[in-house]
Amino acid sequence: MDIKNIYCVGRNYSAHAKELGNQVPEEPMFFSKPSHSFVQGDNKKLSFPKDAGAIHYEVELVIVIKKEWEKGISLSDLIEKTALGIDFTLRDKQEEMKQKRYPWLISKGFPNSAAVGSYSPFSEKDWEDIRFSLYQNGVKKQEGSPSQMIFPLRELVDFTGEHFGLGPGDLIFTGTPEGVGPVKDGDELSLIFNKKEAGTFKIMLN
């Protein structure tokens, strides 16, 4: 797939915002990742720099856009498929950038930082019922559902389309629930989508 824009929603689960000591936003808060940060597949090995400080996992539902956004378009016409992904974050670097009031890109846009597992067809009627989780070495660390999102999918896609543009090949990472944490060399991260495995990633720190 030819990936174009990668849009990411920050602080879309109130418990996650609070666990990092952040305020809950009053409107969707977006950042982006370069297309070079994208990696997709199952049983993938992900290489990260070992001297970059804490690297945190953040599991998220990801939607794949198949058509140009226009006001009033249905979600079913706009979205092709969905998947679970991990928004990897250089947490120490992010905190440094926040303190300096600099952009976050260096902490969010590094290679392999937008990892996406296997795809599933998008179903608007079943979207709110999705349950997903992330396991680190067999231990559940995160779980969530779109029903817990501060900003629902309709609002997210309309906000994105209106402010940034939205078209075929674009991805939206829709936010992470609480439970984010650091990875270490050799970790295995497993994604579970509605009780089924949806991707496994092996961490290598070099």
Side-chain angles (χ1 to χ4, degrees):
M1 173 185 291
D2 183 18
I3 299 300
K4 293 185 178 178
N5 298 296
I6 303 174
Y7 300 113
C8 304
V9 186
R11 307 178 193 174
N12 199 23
Y13 290 76
S14 58
H16 168 60
K18 292 174 182 176
E19 75 175 342
L20 295 183
N22 295 320
Q23 291 184 338
V24 175
E26 296 182 359
E27 67 176 12
M29 188 184 77
F30 277 86
F31 59 92
S32 63
K33 289 176 178 273
S35 58
H36 295 291
S37 68
F38 176 78
V39 59
Q40 192 275 326
D42 194 7
N43 295 313
K44 286 278 187 177
K45 293 182 179 179
L46 303 181
S47 180
F48 297 125
K50 65 180 180 180
D51 58 351
I55 303 173
H56 280 203
Y57 56 78
E58 301 184 18
V59 67
E60 310 197 12
L61 278 166
V62 180
I63 59 169
V64 182
I65 303 302
K66 64 180 178 181
K67 192 175 181 179
E68 292 289 335
W69 176 87
E70 58 184 26
K71 190 172 182 179
I73 189 172
S74 72
L75 294 179
S76 295
D77 287 340
L78 181 69
I79 301 170
E80 179 181 5
K81 49 194 174 184
T82 187
L84 281 179
I86 305 176
D87 163 22
F88 286 99
T89 303
L90 301 180
R91 190 68 71 198
D92 295 338
K93 180 60 69 173
Q94 185 186 44
E95 291 304 314
E96 178 187 340
M97 294 299 101
K98 285 181 180 180
Q99 291 177 12
K100 293 180 178 179
R101 298 187 178 183
Y102 287 178
W104 296 356
L105 181 60
I106 196 169
S107 70
K108 289 285 192 178
F110 52 99
N112 297 327
S113 65
V116 175
S118 56
Y119 294 113
S120 297
F122 174 75
S123 171
E124 183 174 357
K125 70 180 182 64
D126 296 327
W127 172 257
E128 292 283 323
D129 296 325
I130 292 173
R131 297 292 183 271
F132 64 92
S133 55
L134 177 144
Y135 285 73
Q136 184 180 31
N137 303 322
V139 178
K140 184 189 291 186
K141 296 293 187 176
Q142 290 187 272
E143 60 181 343
S145 169
S147 62
Q148 301 167 343
M149 290 180 179
I150 298 170
F151 305 105
L153 187 59
R154 177 81 260 174
E155 185 172 354
L156 295 180
V157 298
D158 287 344
F159 188 96
T160 309
E162 180 179 347
H163 289 85
F164 314 123
L166 195 57
D170 290 345
L171 306 182
I172 300 178
F173 280 65
T174 60
T176 192
E178 65 181 315
V180 304
V183 299
K184 60 183 184 299
D185 188 47
D187 275 355
E188 183 175 274
L189 302 180
S190 299
L191 308 179
I192 305 298
F193 181 96
N194 286 340
K195 299 183 179 180
K196 297 180 180 179
E197 187 173 301
T200 301
F201 298 97
K202 186 85 168 183
I203 305 301
M204 298 186 301
L205 302 183
N206 301 314

